[in-house]
Amino acid sequence: MSRKLSRREIGKMALAGALGETLLGASQQSSAVVRSQPPGIKLGSAAPMNPTDEDLLFFKQLGVDCVYCAVTSQDSSLESLLNIKKRYTQAGLTVHNIRNLGVTNNQVAIVLNRPDRDKRIEDYKTWLRTIGQAGFHYTLSTFNLAQIVSSGLVETRGSRTRDCDLSSSQLGIPGDNPVPISEKGSVNSLLFGREYSRDEIWANYTYFIKRVAPVAEESQVAIGFHPDDPPTPTLFGVPRIFSTFDDCTKALKIANSPNVGMCLCCGTWAEGGAAMGIDPAGAIRHFGSRKQIYEIHFRNVSSPLPHFHETFPDNGYYDMYKVMQALVDVRYDGIVHLDHFVPMVGGNRTYEAFAMGYMRAMKQRALAGFA
């Protein structure tokens, strides 16, 4: 996987992936499909569920292809989703997906098999049906209890960005993350009561995915799993089963569904470094050639674990052009969007304008090289 593949080899991989997908789909119910998307790489960014006219004008000026929104469980009704979709459609913008992190991410009951696990799984299934009815094709998920773990903030080119040092005793979750951790600790602190085994967490994942994948197929909705951030083998006494290339491959094999794939976060993948088993571009070529990527997060970091901080996309250690080149090579048809905005003078729009321009230049360069 470390060598660069030729265009001929990439074409063969894409063909093999398409054939495999066709054969796999034939073994599922006829409804087990994901709604088709317009061809080509779509550039996008986060957007509010109730945008102002100025918000809509800004997205138009950026030239984004689509946006994604986040809602709370209180705003997750079919009517609410259709209203969000209508507002952006009237402005000439496409909503790629709507997130409901309170239902799909950091679910303690599901990951640890607590008494209300089945209730939480039913909530997840209801969400899949709702976004399917609203005409959306995708939802993002995690299967861990501590996403976006941080040990503090550091200065990065005049900005303050997330720092993650695994030797710190002050590891914690940002306050806006829907996970019930009210204290900080070290990697080995048992913040969830006891130490869990990998077999337990894999069994809990299998229980969960075997119940939600059929609903995703019926609803024509894809589930994209985000890698663990940070991708360390265990954290706070709980193993992380989306922390390496082999883990992710195993998880998709267990799901055995064309509607279960990856949300491939390049920043998280770069955090793992060599321990991931393959670099971000290699992961894109593997999962992308098999049509198992539904979303790309465009982010860079200073170095691999055990200590990194988030950076601007142009000054991290990983060459982000390799990401865009790999996406072009596998003919990716999904969204690539900005992730974890870096604070800048002028607010989020300043960073968004800078990073979107950088990302668009990467895409144009990669497409020109492919022609």
Side-chain angles (χ1 to χ4, degrees):
M1 286 294 182
S2 61
R3 69 181 181 87
K4 186 175 180 180
L5 299 175
S6 70
R7 295 288 169 82
R8 183 184 295 265
E9 290 172 312
I10 292 165
K12 289 181 178 179
M13 289 173 64
L15 178 59
L19 290 173
E21 183 181 27
T22 299
L23 293 173
L24 179 58
S27 68
Q28 306 284 342
Q29 298 177 355
S30 59
S31 60
V33 297
V34 181
R35 290 180 177 86
S36 62
Q37 299 299 299
I41 297 169
K42 275 81 69 177
L43 302 184
S45 191
M49 58 178 292
N50 295 307
T52 64
D53 290 342
E54 187 176 76
D55 289 330
L56 296 172
L57 178 59
F58 178 66
F59 289 126
K60 182 178 180 180
Q61 291 170 344
L62 280 183
V64 299
D65 300 303
C66 49
V67 298
Y68 71 90
C69 306
V71 298
T72 64
S73 295
Q74 292 73 31
D75 298 310
S76 61
S77 67
L78 176 60
E79 181 181 9
S80 294
L81 302 192
L82 290 175
N83 285 337
I84 294 171
K85 187 176 184 180
K86 180 180 179 180
R87 174 73 166 137
Y88 280 99
T89 299
Q90 289 175 338
L93 290 166
T94 299
V95 181
H96 178 268
N97 69 84
I98 296 182
R99 299 180 180 179
N100 186 354
L101 302 187
V103 171
T104 61
N105 289 34
N106 306 320
Q107 287 292 334
V108 175
I110 295 174
V111 177
L112 299 184
N113 184 16
R114 293 191 172 174
D116 57 339
R117 170 172 70 170
D118 288 342
K119 166 62 170 61
R120 296 296 182 181
I121 290 176
E122 288 303 314
D123 290 343
Y124 193 105
K125 289 156 72 173
T126 297
W127 174 244
L128 291 175
R129 294 186 180 106
T130 301
I131 58 177
Q133 291 172 348
F136 294 105
H137 81 292
Y138 165 76
T139 193
L140 174 144
S141 290
T142 64
F143 197 84
N144 59 41
L145 305 176
Q147 192 76 355
I148 319 179
V149 172
S150 173
S151 56
L153 297 173
V154 297
E155 182 173 319
T156 302
R157 210 162 72 188
S159 296
R160 300 282 286 171
T161 63
R162 167 196 174 206
D163 187 52
C164 184
D165 182 353
L166 293 187
S167 69
S168 172
S169 62
Q170 297 297 305
L171 293 170
I173 314 299
D176 61 352
N177 202 287
V179 61
I181 294 181
S182 58
E183 58 182 311
K184 296 181 179 181
S186 70
V187 167
N188 298 318
S189 297
L190 303 183
L191 297 188
F192 293 92
R194 67 176 175 87
E195 187 171 355
Y196 290 78
S197 71
R198 292 189 71 80
D199 286 345
E200 282 183 279
I201 302 305
W202 275 117
N204 295 343
Y205 166 77
T206 301
Y207 183 93
F208 162 73
I209 201 63
K210 291 299 183 182
R211 282 155 180 78
V212 301
V215 178
E217 293 169 5
E218 294 164 6
S219 304
Q220 298 186 2
V221 170
I223 300 170
F225 281 102
H226 191 295
D228 297 318
D229 186 0
T232 182
T234 186
L235 187 64
F236 304 146
V238 181
R240 316 270 275 180
I241 63 169
F242 279 88
S243 62
T244 67
F245 171 77
D246 287 343
D247 282 346
C248 295
T249 302
K250 178 179 178 178
L252 300 192
K253 184 176 180 180
I254 290 172
N256 190 28
S257 170
N259 291 60
V260 179
M262 294 299 300
C263 164
L264 207 147
C265 175
C266 297
T268 302
W269 212 275
E271 292 166 14
M276 296 298 287
I278 194 170
D279 76 334
I284 289 169
R285 289 194 163 91
H286 175 85
F287 295 115
S289 67
R290 291 159 175 79
K291 304 301 180 186
Q292 292 178 317
I293 301 177
Y294 295 108
E295 181 177 11
I296 294 287
H297 291 181
F298 200 83
R299 178 168 63 88
N300 212 342
V301 295
S302 62
S303 57
L305 288 169
H307 187 189
F308 70 86
H309 64 266
E310 294 184 353
T311 69
F312 292 85
D314 64 318
N315 74 331
Y317 88 91
Y318 193 74
D319 180 358
M320 296 302 288
Y321 176 65
K322 292 180 180 179
V323 168
M324 202 63 74
Q325 186 177 43
L327 292 171
V328 170
D329 285 345
V330 299
R331 293 179 169 86
Y332 175 65
D333 290 329
I335 185 175
V336 181
H337 70 72
L338 304 177
D339 192 36
H340 298 191
F341 287 14
V342 175
M344 294 181 69
V345 174
N348 280 348
R349 286 182 179 171
T350 305
Y351 175 76
E352 197 165 8
F354 163 76
M356 182 62 68
Y358 184 83
M359 189 162 64
R360 184 177 301 281
M362 296 288 99
K363 176 184 173 182
Q364 290 172 342
R365 178 186 170 196
L367 286 172
F370 191 78

